[in-house]
Amino acid sequence: MPSVLLNAACDGTRDGEAYAADLRRALFELWSNVLERRAPHVSEWARNDSEGAIPTGAAAVPYLQALNIWFQLLRIVEENAAIRDRRQTETQTGAETVPSSFAQALDRHDLTPERLAEISASLSVGPTLTAHPTEAKRVTILEIHRRIYRSLVALEAQRWTTRERTGILADIEGEIDLLWMTGELRLERPGLSDEIEWGLQFFRDGIFDAVPQVFEQFEQAAANRFGTFDMVSPCIRFHSWIGGDRDGNPNVTTDSTAHALKRARDTAMDMYREHLRIAAERLSISNRIVPLNSEMQAELERLASVSPHRDRNPNELFRQATSAILHRLETYRHVSHFITDLEIIETALASVDARHLAQRYIRPVRWRAQVFGFSIYTLDIRQNSTVTTETIAEIWRQRDDGNVPEYGDPAWSKRLRSELSEPQLPAPDGNALSDQANELIDLLTLMSKRRYGPDPAALGPFILSMTRSSDDLLGVFLLARYAGFGAETLEIKVVPLFETIEDLRAAPDILLGLLDVPLAKRSLTRDGSAIEVMLGYSDSNKDGGFVCSTCELDQAQRRITRVLKSKGLTPVFFHGRGGSVSRGGAPMDRAIAAQPTNTVSGRMRLTEQGEVVSANYANRGTAAAHLELLASSVLKHTADADDPPRAPEFNEALEALSGLSQTAYSTLLHMPGFIDYFQQASPVEELAMLKIGSRPARRFGAASLADLRAIPWVFAWSQNRHLITGWYGFGSAIEAFRKFQGTRGEDTLLAMFERTKLFRLIADEVEKSLFQADLDIAKEYASLVTDDDIRRCVTDAIAKEYALACSGIAFLTGSEKIAERFPRMRARFDRIRPGLDRVNTLQVALLREVRSREEPNRVSIPLLQSMNSISSGLGWTG
């Protein structure tokens, strides 16, 4: 009898769904074959008795391992099917019908070539890769997944014989077997060097080759729309926090930052060598057969003259010049010189009517050089304002024998501004400073020295977490001066990160206070009028709940834009998004479209964390589609700058809903015993055993809710299927608004749902979270709470709010069935729900067992595997 897992996988009706269902059937059989060899009892359970519970204790290990692999295989199928659907849509109905493509973004009557040229010139998308601490997969596992994906792509070809197809399937089965024998679970926490290599692997596997493909798509879409168009310029610059983010992570040091920079440069050079070597081998154009004009010949001879092998390949100047660039690669004094030399070869090829060769062999290298530079990505630096403030206080105490003002006093602000205006400042005495202070000064010294390297963009801005005041930001400028950045205009970008609700509301005033200081304003605007501002999704959600956080982020962008515009400046917003809805993980194109009008202006940065990096960049096709989605969405939002502003009554309604939802959310968090409930009804305390990142779960070792990082906060509520971070407060807000505003309020809500992108996005993501939450499973976790009164009060509050949220969604959508509007999401989750539910039930038993031991901190392999399996099934950890 077919298993539930297989039955649920075989319900496709349309061509794309039928294709995916066929793949799932095939992979199920291959997975089952592996289980029959490696764990026959698990195979029998999977095929014939998959409704049965998973055994407890050590006996659970093979069941969890099998389910985890199955969840991963399902995701690989989804990735392959999505890219196939995209290609088929373009083939059958045209590129302009492909969702979130350049062609679709340009398919509008109000876009002129001149307007596109204007947007293209400023278009800039900055994906920022972060590893901490949401990705459990080792590079070895990622590579196995990639080989399975590539084999599925190969199966799409119709040319294979039955024997050849059987061979490909056998290869896939071998990879699944290798997954089983390798094991994904980390028993040792990864080091920073492991995380650095993890991040670089995505460039090798997909991003390097995806970038030229994205620009070709842009060029082709523009040419198809306007006949000819040659204004396409690289619009992507990757950033990374891996090796640069030391906020709460003592493992990140100046040495590790230097190591991250070195590995990024090494990887870039390896990539250029590979492509230049191929170009030099293949550009075998004979000067005798195809003579060059005198100007081009002189340029190529000049390039070729630096090669030590000038006598090789006589009369083949293109090959000689390309070989010379390859020889000179490590000695370029600036990346712009490398780009200029590549442009010379491109121009020379065009002069002999060989543009196709330039487009195939040289232009992709030049595009890569413009995107990746000599360092793959810009390595951002992030530190917490607590550390910078403590370091300043140390330096002042060293000089004043301990007599220094307190942070927050007017005297502190006065001294900051006074020292910033001094023409010279004495260097701090490192012997008298703590290790923390010396480490920060050493880091800033490294940043100062790297300004004059061959790729100045290798090191990025200093991002200040928990920015609470303009004094926090001015403090970084002062520390930079101590580290040797000069006195008049400092070549360092300081980026505020506004995370809590309170700080988001204070952001405009903080920025005004910062810009009132001449040195700060000169430094921030030395490269133009754009000011980068980072917005925190995670902590604002933990602080105020999903609805409040989303609305406050929207309002903060509007207010910041107005304030900076009054100073002749433009914000570039850096969105600190994560993978889950609770951390900004809504569909990317819709999330960008929902940003306030005139707050994008062609430029946007965003974090892509942990498992999101794997989902978006593990393969070239996926990476290219994702990057096109990012860039086309930013382009479209910018082109929509003339859209009418949101109606005042909608703004007032959103503000009211934000406040009402925050009240409900805060009431829950401040219930007596809520912290005990959270710690006991979730695996948050056991999270430290799961070796999924180099960063501790808490910033500074404290045990308070306020100090807990937002990632484990979301992790815990997703593991126990409460998922309150994605929906709590929505139902109370809708109910109260309808009650107090009456029929007019209901009309406003329905109109907002139909016409307002932001509110529609909120409602959609709340509905999806409600569908994935399971209050029956949540009650199983609640049984771990030892105090009956606390358990009853909290579960009653959650159940009441869940019912209100479902009622609110039904009012807006007209459907009593949750997530009926999202059939694909429902089908995908229903495929993994049976296995996921059983893992949740097992995890409750494992938590009870671990906590009953005399040695509760001893590692429980089944418990760690259960966390890993739930994360794989949901698709995120935090």
Side-chain angles (χ1 to χ4, degrees), residues 493-543:
K493 289 184 178 180
V494 180
V495 174
L497 170 48
F498 300 113
E499 299 181 75
T500 68
I501 299 298
E502 181 182 356
D503 293 337
L504 285 168
R505 292 171 178 170
D509 289 337
I510 292 173
L511 291 171
L512 284 176
L514 177 67
L515 293 168
D516 281 342
V517 178
L519 178 140
K521 185 172 183 179
R522 288 195 303 268
S523 301
L524 289 169
T525 59
R526 72 183 189 281
D527 294 328
S529 62
I531 303 292
E532 190 170 311
V533 177
M534 187 170 182
L535 306 170
Y537 285 64
S538 308
D539 283 278
S540 61
N541 182 292
K542 184 163 75 79
D543 201 28

Side-chain angles (χ1 to χ4, degrees), residues 366-609:
R366 192 248 301 167
W367 273 340
R368 291 184 179 99
Q370 291 172 310
V371 171
F372 302 118
F374 282 157
S375 194
I376 296 297
Y377 45 58
T378 295
L379 183 65
D380 292 347
I381 303 299
R382 184 170 78 136
Q383 185 53 282
N384 195 282
S385 61
T386 304
V387 175
T388 58
T389 300
E390 289 175 354
T391 302
I392 292 170
E394 273 195 54
I395 294 172
W396 287 352
R397 280 195 298 269
Q398 172 199 114
R399 293 179 184 166
D400 299 351
D401 296 326
N403 184 25
V404 299
E406 290 291 325
Y407 173 84
D409 287 348
W412 177 282
S413 300
K414 183 177 179 181
R415 180 162 181 177
L416 262 180
R417 287 158 175 77
S418 174
E419 289 207 9
L420 281 171
S421 64
E422 291 291 332
Q424 289 187 331
L425 290 174
D429 179 7
N431 294 324
L433 296 179
S434 66
D435 290 343
Q436 175 180 274
N438 275 316
E439 174 61 37
L440 181 53
I441 296 298
D442 288 345
L443 169 66
L444 289 163
T445 302
L446 173 68
M447 296 179 72
S448 177
K449 291 178 179 178
R450 291 282 180 150
R451 290 175 292 164
Y452 306 111
D455 188 355
L459 260 177
F462 190 109
I463 298 167
L464 189 65
S465 293
M466 291 297 171
T467 297
R468 302 156 295 178
S469 68
S470 54
D471 282 358
D472 287 336
L473 298 166
L474 293 172
V476 179
F477 283 111
L478 181 58
L479 290 168
R481 287 206 57 194
Y482 290 149
F485 268 91
E488 288 296 319
T489 300
L490 310 190
E491 293 185 46
I492 182 173
K493 289 184 178 180
V494 180
V495 174
L497 170 48
F498 300 113
E499 299 181 75
T500 68
I501 299 298
E502 181 182 356
D503 293 337
L504 285 168
R505 292 171 178 170
D509 289 337
I510 292 173
L511 291 171
L512 284 176
L514 177 67
L515 293 168
D516 281 342
V517 178
L519 178 140
K521 185 172 183 179
R522 288 195 303 268
S523 301
L524 289 169
T525 59
R526 72 183 189 281
D527 294 328
S529 62
I531 303 292
E532 190 170 311
V533 177
M534 187 170 182
L535 306 170
Y537 285 64
S538 308
D539 283 278
S540 61
N541 182 292
K542 184 163 75 79
D543 201 28
F546 174 61
V547 177
C548 175
S549 169
T550 304
C551 293
E552 290 290 346
L553 286 162
D554 178 85
Q555 288 300 316
Q557 290 179 76
R558 294 172 185 275
R559 292 192 295 264
I560 290 170
T561 300
R562 286 196 297 268
V563 160
L564 291 183
K565 186 177 180 180
S566 72
K567 297 289 185 180
L569 303 173
T570 304
V572 176
F573 288 111
F574 181 5
H575 299 265
R577 296 161 49 93
S580 66
V581 172
S582 319
R583 304 187 61 235
M588 189 68 71
D589 52 342
R590 295 188 59 218
I592 293 174
Q595 298 306 312
T597 303
N598 292 316
T599 61
V600 173
S601 301
R603 303 181 67 177
M604 175 180 279
R605 283 192 61 192
L606 65 157
T607 54
E608 302 201 273
Q609 301 191 3

Side-chain angles (χ1 to χ4, degrees), residues 200-214:
L200 291 172
Q201 192 67 28
F202 294 102
F203 289 89
R204 301 185 190 100
D205 287 347
I207 295 173
F208 281 153
D209 291 334
V211 162
Q213 183 177 331
V214 172

